[in-house]
Amino acid sequence: WVGRGQLVRVGGWGGVYVTHAVIGDITQTKGGLVADALVEVYTNVTSLVNAAKVSVVSTVVGPQPSNDVVWTGRSETVLLMLNEYVTLYQKTLITGASLWDITYTPHLYTLVTQLVDDSNGKVIDNINTTFGIRKVQFDPTEGLFLNENKVKVKGMCNHQDFVGVGTAVPDRINRFSY
């Protein structure tokens, strides 16, 4: 949504993407699983004005509920021209990150992204993105692993197999077909 005054903004379908990779060993603590993690942030920025000089300030806080500041970083400054679209990249290593897990505690972090007008230092757009750090692996013979622990996958995907009953198949249809 473009409001008045948001002529330069974090753009397009959310505009902020967070990826992560667990590095090294995963250890169990009293509070859950922890490991070091490389976190990468991609922020899409678009401009509806000519010659906008901006940068992105990103802050990782968490895990919830503590919400301690884990990392703050600033991207390079870019000069955006009219209708220009750029992706700004940042990365950090979070040591001792609390992992999101279904067996222990589903720790979540929040990435606070602020788009800053470098000509006056004002924040012109901001977005909060919630994410969990985890290690997911799939082995064709052994199955699914989450944070190096085997996870048994239960259920099925049997949607839209019978016309006229909607997008989810009722139990009576499943009993009929099997």
Side-chain angles (χ1 to χ4, degrees):
W1 176 255
V2 179
R4 291 183 185 203
Q6 286 186 288
L7 297 176
V8 180
R9 66 186 188 280
V10 175
W13 306 103
V16 178
Y17 302 93
V18 181
T19 65
H20 62 276
V22 172
I23 299 172
D25 296 330
I26 296 174
T27 57
Q28 185 169 351
T29 66
K30 185 178 179 182
L33 300 173
V34 297
D36 295 343
L38 176 66
V39 176
E40 298 176 296
V41 179
Y42 301 86
T43 306
N44 299 322
V45 180
T46 187
S47 176
L48 299 176
V49 296
N50 202 22
K53 192 175 177 184
V54 297
S55 61
V56 171
V57 175
S58 297
T59 304
V60 174
V61 296
Q64 298 170 352
S66 73
N67 291 331
D68 296 328
V69 173
V70 176
W71 169 77
T72 298
R74 187 179 201 116
S75 74
E76 75 228 66
T77 297
V78 294
L79 181 63
L80 293 173
M81 296 301 160
L82 180 64
N83 294 325
E84 189 174 3
Y85 181 90
V86 298
T87 300
L88 297 173
Y89 172 78
Q90 298 168 288
K91 72 177 179 179
T92 186
L93 178 66
I94 297 177
T95 56
S98 298
L99 302 183
W100 181 93
D101 195 84
I102 58 175
T103 306
Y104 301 98
T105 306
H107 294 289
L108 294 174
Y109 289 84
T110 301
L111 172 69
V112 179
T113 304
Q114 297 178 318
L115 182 62
V116 178
D117 182 341
D118 284 350
S119 66
N120 60 20
K122 291 184 180 179
V123 174
I124 53 178
D125 198 4
N126 60 24
I127 290 183
N128 291 350
T129 307
T130 303
F131 68 99
I133 298 172
R134 69 236 179 250
K135 182 178 182 180
V136 179
Q137 298 167 286
F138 183 79
D139 181 278
T141 56
E142 295 294 320
L144 179 68
F145 290 84
L146 177 63
N147 299 326
E148 299 177 349
N149 295 314
K150 188 169 183 165
V151 176
K152 186 174 183 179
V153 179
K154 300 177 186 178
M156 61 184 214
C157 181
N158 194 17
H159 291 270
Q160 300 179 346
D161 276 2
F162 293 93
V163 177
V165 295
T167 57
V169 179
D171 289 340
R172 64 181 165 80
I173 298 294
N174 284 326
R175 285 192 293 276
F176 167 77
S177 65
Y178 297 103

